[in-house]
Amino acid sequence: MAGAFVLDRAVILERLGGDEEIYTMMVDMFLQDVEHNCASLAAALAGGEAPSLQREAHTIKGLLATFSDEAGAAEAYVVEQKAKNGEVHGLDEGVAVLQRRLREVASVLQAAR
Amino acid sequence: MHTVLIIDDSDINLTLIKALVLKLGECQPVLFGNPLKALDWCRDNVPDLVIVDYMMPDMDGLKFISAFRALHGRDEIPVLMVTANDQRDVRYEALLGGANDFLTKPIDRVEFGARVRNMLSLRSGQKFLADRAKHLASLVEERTRDIREREKELIFRMSRAAEFRDPETGAHIQRMAYYSQAIAKGLDLDEAVQKLILEAAPMHDVGKIGIPDYILLKPGKLTPEEFEVMKGHARLGYELLKESGSEILRAGAQIAISHHEKYDGSGYPRGLKGNDIPLFGRIVAVADVFDALTSERPYKKAWPLEEARHFLEIGRGKHFDPLCVEALLAEWELVLEVRQRFADEEVPYI
């Protein structure tokens, strides 16, 4: 279980070349898409399609990494790899963890706006 | 302005990459969330750089690169693939499949800028070389055209040198050359062949340069011995032009030696018969005689056109190749036009 998400704005900004405009745009998009991403994860799990779940977990991994959430990205990686190996059953908990993580990150980003 | 094609099924990544591309300046991003639609776009558009995500529904980045490279003229366009840090196997596969470089997620602006600039610089180099190659090709084409023009002028002047020693006029070589072209057209020969005979036919009598004046300029009828010497001009012309590096001169050599052959085998210098006579010789035989008949000479009046036509018709299969006569008659309008265009006093070169 990953620890609480801590926003490290400086590190994210450094990666974006100090560009506040791009940073703000990224945050806005993350907040807009977070529920859609959670829903896509749930739908992939419900459908039992390993490639689809692998892809969704991969997308979440990238999103969380963009906001320097290495712990969250690692959780997404675990789900992605299990889905890649066809181990879809028993991933309910992993998907729920990712959904909670997405919402947690969104909440922290929202609070920091 | 560089066109940068960005393909990623994630809106946030598309937006991020687009923003970073715009920050580089001199770039026009084109975005696609669906790789299949991007591929469709690529059929009619040529990007300067492709940035493609690996993991996408419908078609992954590797398959996209492979399909993109298979499009005509897209094999050298730089492609950057976006992958996660943990996808080393994908990176190897992409390298083998045609990606030029990688971007790792999360995207770092400094790394992104350097890699994209490198790729665009590679593209600029490709374009520069392509433009230079095109420029050089057009220069070569221009120079070749100049050389060919000079070659044509020299051929014309050389042919004129022979004509000056002859009662025939400069306009004669123009007319018979264009008549030869008209016959080639009537025979449905390629346009390039029609042009070749037009340019080579003026040399048909160039061998007359080697005929002594007392024979060439003799006002009266030649004795049989003198006529034998006169007939030598066909071989002389051939010897002068044969084995040239110029296709036109080689065609001229063939015409020189064969334009006095007759279809029934009674011509000279080799007494060739029918299709053993080179085609250009058979064509020029008709054109040369037709112009000689319809032109005025110091020793004769010009024949009326209908009489000249009749002469050709009765000579079919005897003096002339019947198909060449038919071809001239089929292009009669063109023949009349040439006749009007090159009256005897005009001698512009072809």
Side-chain angles (χ1 to χ4, degrees):
Chain A
M1 188 73 174
F5 171 65
V6 178
L7 175 61
D8 193 341
R9 201 168 178 276
V11 168
I12 303 167
L13 263 175
E14 188 189 344
R15 206 170 49 245
L16 297 178
D19 197 315
E20 292 274 0
E21 190 189 340
I22 295 179
Y23 173 80
T24 307
M25 196 171 63
M26 303 283 297
V27 170
D28 288 347
M29 288 199 75
F30 184 89
L31 295 176
Q32 268 171 34
D33 290 349
V34 68
E35 284 311 317
H36 173 73
N37 286 322
C38 288
S40 298
L41 262 179
L45 180 68
E49 289 173 22
S52 174
L53 187 56
Q54 181 194 352
R55 208 167 46 242
E56 292 302 333
H58 177 85
T59 302
I60 304 303
K61 181 181 73 177
L63 270 177
L64 293 174
T66 301
F67 290 95
S68 295
D69 179 12
E70 271 122 40
E75 300 272 15
Y77 178 70
V78 171
V79 175
E80 182 189 350
Q81 289 306 304
K82 284 191 175 167
K84 187 180 177 185
N85 296 329
E87 303 163 24
V88 180
H89 296 296
L91 275 180
D92 306 49
E93 181 50 27
V95 166
V97 165
L98 284 187
Q99 288 173 321
R100 279 200 297 279
R101 190 66 176 191
L102 281 169
R103 291 185 177 116
E104 182 194 349
V105 172
S107 148
V108 173
L109 289 173
Q110 177 70 45
R113 282 173 104 183
Chain B
M1 186 65 85
H2 300 289
T3 302
V4 181
L5 174 64
I6 306 164
I7 310 141
D8 199 314
D9 63 313
S10 156
D11 285 346
I12 198 166
N13 282 344
L14 271 183
T15 308
L16 170 63
I17 296 172
K18 175 190 167 188
L20 294 175
V21 163
L22 285 172
K23 294 273 173 193
L24 290 174
E26 298 281 304
C27 288
Q28 175 68 49
V30 178
L31 312 183
F32 283 98
N34 182 324
L36 293 172
K37 286 186 178 161
L39 203 57
D40 269 348
W41 180 87
C42 290
R43 288 182 219 286
D44 301 319
N45 300 278
V46 183
D48 294 311
L49 171 64
V50 178
I51 301 177
V52 59
D53 186 32
Y54 164 60
M55 193 164 277
M56 294 181 290
D58 301 325
M59 176 182 250
D60 69 29
L62 295 174
K63 290 199 180 87
F64 175 85
I65 293 172
S66 168
F68 175 73
R69 291 287 187 227
L71 295 176
H72 179 69
R74 311 293 191 272
D75 49 341
E76 288 194 339
I77 310 262
V79 175
L80 276 175
M81 181 177 252
V82 184
T83 62
N85 262 332
D86 53 69
Q87 293 175 306
R88 189 196 292 193
D89 52 338
V90 172
R91 286 202 286 272
Y92 288 164
E93 209 178 326
L95 265 183
L96 293 171
N100 295 76
D101 205 347
F102 302 96
L103 284 166
T104 50
K105 284 193 278 195
I107 291 171
D108 179 283
R109 185 173 170 179
V110 175
E111 183 185 332
F112 179 89
R115 289 186 198 274
V116 169
R117 276 198 201 91
N118 283 344
M119 292 297 109
L120 290 177
S121 157
L122 173 68
R123 179 67 183 147
S124 297
Q126 289 171 353
K127 280 180 163 173
F128 174 78
L129 284 176
D131 288 349
R132 182 135 185 84
K134 206 188 276 181
H135 174 65
L136 287 174
S138 94
L139 267 184
V140 168
E141 196 182 319
E142 195 181 313
R143 296 284 186 273
T144 306
R145 204 166 40 236
D146 285 352
I147 291 167
R148 205 169 160 91
E149 281 304 312
R150 254 175 261 155
E151 189 183 12
K152 276 163 59 183
E153 185 185 351
L154 284 171
I155 288 166
F156 178 79
R157 292 187 189 283
M158 184 168 69
S159 307
R160 286 279 288 141
E163 299 288 339
F164 274 136
R165 305 190 60 248
D166 193 299
E168 291 172 351
T169 68
H172 164 67
I173 59 173
Q174 298 280 23
R175 285 191 303 264
M176 61 77 60
Y178 277 99
Y179 293 154
S180 300
Q181 186 189 32
I183 295 169
K185 183 167 181 269
L187 290 171
D188 275 337
L189 300 182
D190 281 354
E191 279 195 20
V193 178
Q194 293 176 29
K195 191 161 180 277
L196 181 62
I197 198 165
L198 169 72
E199 290 167 352
M203 291 176 280
H204 66 293
D205 273 345
V206 74
K208 284 182 177 173
I209 288 172
I211 304 299
D213 284 357
Y214 77 92
I215 293 175
L216 191 67
L217 304 176
K218 183 177 175 180
K221 196 171 161 47
L222 299 178
T223 65
E225 293 75 21
E226 287 167 344
F227 188 57
E228 280 308 308
V229 176
M230 183 65 176
K231 278 157 64 175
H233 81 276
R235 270 194 202 285
L236 283 172
Y238 174 75
E239 292 298 325
L240 186 66
L241 304 172
K242 70 171 185 181
E243 291 165 11
S244 167
S246 155
E247 187 188 18
I248 305 174
L249 294 186
R250 285 198 306 275
Q254 193 188 64
I255 290 168
I257 200 168
S258 60
H259 75 287
H260 282 295
E261 298 290 356
K262 292 185 179 174
Y263 203 70
D264 61 5
S266 64
Y268 67 87
R270 293 179 288 184
L272 297 178
K273 202 171 177 180
N275 289 353
D276 287 346
I277 306 166
L279 178 60
F280 277 17
R282 282 179 271 145
I283 292 174
V284 170
V286 173
D288 191 30
V289 170
F290 177 74
D291 190 63
L293 293 176
T294 53
S295 303
E296 193 174 327
R297 294 281 187 271
Y299 53 85
K300 75 166 191 63
K301 286 199 174 301
W303 285 27
L305 286 174
E306 281 312 309
E307 280 183 37
R309 266 183 84 130
H310 183 63
F311 182 86
L312 294 182
E313 280 165 353
I314 59 170
R316 279 186 295 204
K318 296 173 200 152
H319 186 157
F320 308 114
D321 177 346
L323 291 177
C324 292
V325 174
E326 292 305 324
L328 182 86
L329 299 180
E331 297 295 333
W332 194 246
E333 289 298 315
L334 190 54
V335 167
L336 296 180
E337 193 185 301
V338 170
R339 202 174 128 76
Q340 194 167 17
R341 187 169 151 210
F342 299 102
D344 271 331
E345 57 278 10
E346 294 172 32
V347 283
Y349 77 89
I350 295 167

